[in-house]
Amino acid sequence: MQDINEPGVLFLNAPKNTSVPLVLDSPHSGTTYPEDFNHASDFMVLRRAEDTYVHELYANAPSAGAVLMGAHFPRSYIDVNRGLNEIDTSIIEGSWTGPVTQSEKAEAGIGLIWRVNQLNDAIYDRKLSVSEVQNRISQYWQAYHDTLKGALDQSVQQHGKVYHINCHSMPEISNESSKEGPGVQRPEFCLGDRLGTTCDAAFVEVAKTTLEALGYQVSVNEPYAGVELVKAYSNPSENRHSLQIEIRRDLYMDEKTLEKSDNFEKLKKDLDILIQKLAEFSQAA
């Protein structure tokens, strides 16, 4: 597998010998905002949608024999953790001929193409052309999905199995759009396997017990159970396992300034331990 570093789109870091069937992806930590975004949102508010630094926290995964990939672009430009049919056509100028389905995320304005920012303010003061949306899909969404699927398929071809970790972060406190309502403190880690449907329960348990042994509070499927990427590429009956991991942002950064905190390096070292434990499990399973 060749390393990829496509400016503005995605990166893929793979060891020469992918010695373990473990693939990590960070779809929302991108901070390269395309020139054609042309948003009207306050920039720092728009950045609250990022999983800032998450790819850095897992940066040592290739040293454990795993693959690490992620997006350079931000989720507010196009969200690769949404299905192509989760689109809010109200922000498109002209007739959209692509697939559209009723989607809770799209109705909330945070579907494939976000309509609102984290304060529920409009991201655009205009409508997007059909060609703009099509370009974002073909050049960004599709490129990301093709690369992730390729990495997962290669692991299955090489090892007969794959364990996929979908890496995210979450605000410390829920807001008005959160399903638990505003003002609720989240757990320090949330593991999501879509209620036991996307991953071997033993893999989830290794992640949970390892993090708890390191002193962290861990929940499973609350408040996040996993969305498109763990759903689309998992099939435990065919040895394809996907687990979403959410990290509470105050563990490693200032949520207002987006500056790394003094605890960043400690958390990164703890995640190195987690990756090693999951790599060992994936190899032995």
Side-chain angles (χ1 to χ4, degrees):
M1 181 180 295
Q2 296 292 320
D3 280 11
I4 297 173
N5 190 8
E6 191 175 337
V9 182
L10 58 86
F11 70 88
L12 182 145
N13 298 329
K16 292 181 180 178
N17 176 23
T18 54
S19 57
V20 296
L22 188 62
V23 176
L24 292 81
D25 84 296
S26 179
H28 293 158
S29 57
T31 59
T32 300
Y33 284 70
E35 291 183 3
D36 66 353
F37 199 164
N38 295 326
H39 61 82
S41 171
D42 178 277
F43 185 55
M44 289 304 291
V45 174
L46 193 62
R47 289 201 64 190
R48 294 183 191 179
E50 297 172 6
D51 288 338
T52 318
Y53 307 126
V54 163
H55 63 292
E56 294 185 37
L57 288 168
Y58 290 100
N60 291 331
S63 298
V67 173
L68 173 67
M69 66 166 288
H72 287 310
F73 58 92
R75 70 188 300 199
S76 51
Y77 180 72
I78 186 166
D79 195 335
V80 296
N81 202 25
R82 300 287 186 265
L84 286 178
N85 55 2
E86 294 187 87
I87 191 159
D88 178 1
T89 57
S90 71
I91 64 171
I92 300 175
E93 185 71 53
S95 177
W96 180 252
T97 59
V100 178
T101 190
Q102 188 171 19
S103 162
E104 181 180 335
K105 298 290 187 183
E107 290 176 2
I110 53 173
L112 181 69
I113 307 288
W114 283 33
R115 174 171 45 83
V116 296
N117 61 26
Q118 298 290 64
L119 294 183
N120 211 35
D121 296 327
I123 290 177
Y124 302 97
D125 57 5
R126 62 189 179 90
K127 290 196 173 187
L128 306 182
S129 69
V130 170
S131 62
E132 276 184 281
V133 176
Q134 290 174 335
N135 179 71
R136 294 186 191 188
I137 289 173
S138 64
Q139 298 301 311
Y140 295 86
W141 190 97
Q142 197 65 57
Y144 192 92
H145 278 254
D146 287 349
T147 303
L148 176 58
K149 184 178 184 300
L152 298 172
D153 287 349
Q154 180 161 327
S155 177
V156 172
Q157 183 178 5
Q158 181 178 348
H159 302 286
K161 56 189 172 182
V162 66
Y163 288 84
H164 165 219
I165 302 175
N166 188 224
C167 308
H168 294 270
S169 69
M170 57 186 171
E172 177 189 6
I173 305 296
S174 63
N175 58 30
E176 287 75 7
S177 64
S178 304
K179 69 174 186 178
E180 67 267 44
V184 177
Q185 186 181 51
R186 268 74 179 267
E188 293 175 322
F189 280 83
C190 174
L191 309 179
D193 63 359
R194 292 184 65 85
L195 306 179
T197 62
T198 66
C199 188
D200 180 358
F203 187 72
V204 180
E205 186 63 19
V206 169
K208 183 175 185 291
T209 57
T210 299
L211 289 168
E212 288 176 338
L214 289 167
Y216 295 103
Q217 178 194 21
V218 185
S219 69
V220 179
N221 292 314
E222 288 294 340
Y224 299 107
V227 194
E228 179 65 19
L229 288 168
V230 296
K231 178 178 71 173
Y233 298 112
S234 63
N235 189 341
S237 67
E238 295 184 359
N239 285 323
R240 292 175 177 263
H241 306 274
S242 290
L243 175 65
Q244 179 176 287
I245 299 181
E246 297 267 1
I247 306 172
R248 210 173 70 191
R249 292 173 188 161
D250 65 305
L251 292 179
Y252 67 92
M253 63 179 278
D254 184 308
E255 293 190 60
K256 291 183 179 179
T257 67
L258 307 186
E259 296 291 328
K260 294 176 183 176
S261 68
D262 292 340
N263 197 55
F264 184 91
E265 290 301 327
K266 179 186 181 302
L267 177 60
K268 185 175 181 180
K269 290 178 181 178
D270 286 343
L271 290 174
D272 288 348
I273 294 171
L274 174 66
I275 292 166
Q276 188 60 46
K277 290 288 188 182
L278 295 178
E280 291 169 0
F281 178 94
S282 71
Q283 198 169 26

